[in-house]
Amino acid sequence: MKPAPFDYFAPTTLDEVFELLSKYGDDARVIAGGQSLVPMLALRLARPEVLIDLNRIPSLAGISEDGGTLRIGAMTRQARALASDVIRNRLPLLHQALWNVGHPPTRARGTLGGSISHADPAAETPMVMMAYNASMVIAGKDNERIVEAGDFTLGTFETCLEDGEILKEIIVDAPRSDEGIGFAELSRRRGDFAMVSAAARLRLNADGTCADAHLIIGAVAPVPLRCDAVAQALVGTEPTEQRLREAVGLIDLDSFSFDNPEVSLAYRRHIAPTLAFRALAQAAGKASGLHT
Ligand SMILES: Cc1cc2nc3c(=O)[nH]c(=O)nc-3n(C[C@H](O)[C@H](O)[C@H](O)COP(=O)(O)OP(=O)(O)OC[C@H]3O[C@@H](n4cnc5c(N)ncnc54)[C@H](O)[C@@H]3O)c2cc1C
């Protein structure tokens, strides 16, 4: 199939973007890397009358660090983020997760902002941003506001972006350097969307007990699942294999809701604790190596 006809604009400033968005309202859609939107256009799952291309606005792309605060422009390509030393060293969980996002050709075009705004429940970047407690900078014609990553995604393909707004930038406070991270995912083939994924951050005290932990599970419900009960159960205890296995037993499997012929709810519930265990074990292993 071919897309339904649309008018195409390629503005070079953000002001022009907001002018176009306010002029065309609901009829308009922004396009970033096109890796999700173009297939949707081709299948006529999306039929905007106007496409506003964000690719010619240089200020929307780039990665910078200032005093421990990282800023990632929404139009930063996934491949560029993956190749970035700043991301690898300062946000290693994002670096590791990006290896699982599609394939080199999709990452060459696909953007971080596009992935987060598309809000596919199986996407890796929104869950990583939740794990980092990142802030989303949302911009409109006359306003700019900041929303926590956990409040940005509202449901499947649904975000808190209002008409006329775009995701402009992601802000993340770089975690401490003694933090370990882990990421585990099961997909049919490398590069396919996850059946279930797990992202973990963990830090140890001098005595080897867990000082701080975060666990997010993806692809099991419309919004990535933050597993605070697991994290709290680990804090103050030594993250031994047995302790980690007990803690992942606290994952709220009843809140899983995705069930389809390809991956049943029962299978997601079956594999999630194993993936969570692997992510936490990786994180604990790295944290113990980093701890001095
Ligand atoms: C073969 C294949 C495999 C893939 N595998 C994976 C995978 O394993 N994991 C994964 O996470 N993704 C995967 N993807 C999706 C890919 O990561 C996309 O890049 C991503 O979903 C969308 O990013 P994009 O920049 O291409 O956005 P686009 O496709 O251009 O846009 C997607 C949506 O976001 C909106 N949008 C884009 N940018 C903004 C913005 N700044 N502000 C507001 N709205 C915006 C658009 O209007 C559109 O609705 C895969 C894609 C393909 C084709």
Side-chain angles (χ1 to χ4, degrees):
M1 258 170 110
K2 286 185 181 164
F6 54 80
D7 288 332
Y8 171 81
F9 294 91
T12 53
T13 66
L14 270 180
D15 284 346
E16 286 175 78
V17 171
F18 298 132
E19 284 302 329
L20 288 162
L21 282 171
S22 63
K23 180 170 177 191
Y24 292 104
D26 265 1
D27 295 333
R29 192 94 171 240
V30 296
I31 181 160
Q35 297 304 298
S36 296
L37 187 52
V38 169
M40 287 167 68
L41 294 173
L43 294 167
R44 301 202 175 191
L45 295 171
R47 299 176 69 128
E49 288 179 18
V50 172
L51 266 195
I52 304 169
D53 191 339
L54 299 181
N55 283 278
R56 296 196 190 158
I57 305 171
S59 65
L60 279 179
I63 300 164
S64 63
E65 183 180 5
D66 183 11
T69 300
L70 286 122
R71 306 183 85 97
I72 308 170
M75 284 299 292
T76 304
R77 308 280 172 204
Q78 294 151 9
R80 183 167 170 207
L82 190 52
S84 157
D85 287 341
V86 175
I87 300 292
R88 191 174 61 244
N89 295 329
R90 305 293 272 155
L91 301 178
L93 182 57
L94 177 59
H95 176 83
Q96 192 168 333
L98 278 168
W99 283 111
N100 295 276
V101 177
H103 311 270
T106 65
R107 294 195 292 260
R109 291 296 303 168
T111 64
L112 284 177
S115 173
I116 293 164
S117 303
H118 187 55
D120 188 311
E124 291 82 359
T125 46
M127 62 187 289
V128 168
M129 293 309 168
M130 269 179 76
Y132 276 131
N133 295 317
S135 302
M136 306 289 155
V137 182
I138 295 172
K141 192 168 186 299
D142 300 311
N143 71 307
E144 197 161 291
R145 61 191 177 105
I146 294 184
V147 169
E148 298 308 307
D151 296 327
F152 184 83
T153 310
L154 300 182
T156 304
F157 305 128
E158 197 190 344
T159 69
C160 69
L161 289 169
E162 304 274 358
D163 283 350
E165 289 183 330
I166 64 163
L167 175 60
K168 184 178 158 195
E169 192 177 44
I170 302 129
I171 302 178
V172 194
D173 287 332
R176 291 170 49 143
S177 56
D178 58 353
E179 171 180 290
I181 57 95
F183 189 87
E185 167 168 322
L186 187 68
S187 57
R188 273 185 207 286
R189 300 166 304 183
R190 185 153 184 86
D192 282 1
F193 276 98
M195 296 172 174
V196 176
S197 52
R201 298 171 56 198
L202 194 145
R203 207 161 49 74
L204 296 175
N205 293 309
D207 65 359
T209 57
C210 176
D212 191 25
H214 304 262
L215 175 70
I216 310 281
I217 302 203
V220 296
V223 176
L225 187 69
R226 188 185 286 282
C227 303
D228 285 341
V230 177
Q232 279 158 19
L234 289 172
V235 171
T237 70
E238 206 179 319
T240 58
E241 178 177 344
Q242 189 192 341
R243 188 73 199 116
L244 292 177
R245 290 203 188 280
E246 284 164 7
V248 299
L250 298 171
I251 294 170
D252 181 10
L253 300 175
D254 289 341
S255 63
F256 288 22
S257 55
F258 278 176
D259 192 11
N260 59 36
E262 284 181 3
V263 191
S264 70
L265 181 57
Y267 188 62
R268 287 180 218 261
R269 285 179 172 149
H270 177 66
I271 60 172
T274 302
L275 293 172
F277 169 80
R278 284 183 195 162
L280 285 165
Q282 276 175 36
K286 284 180 188 158
S288 67
L290 292 167
H291 194 74
T292 50

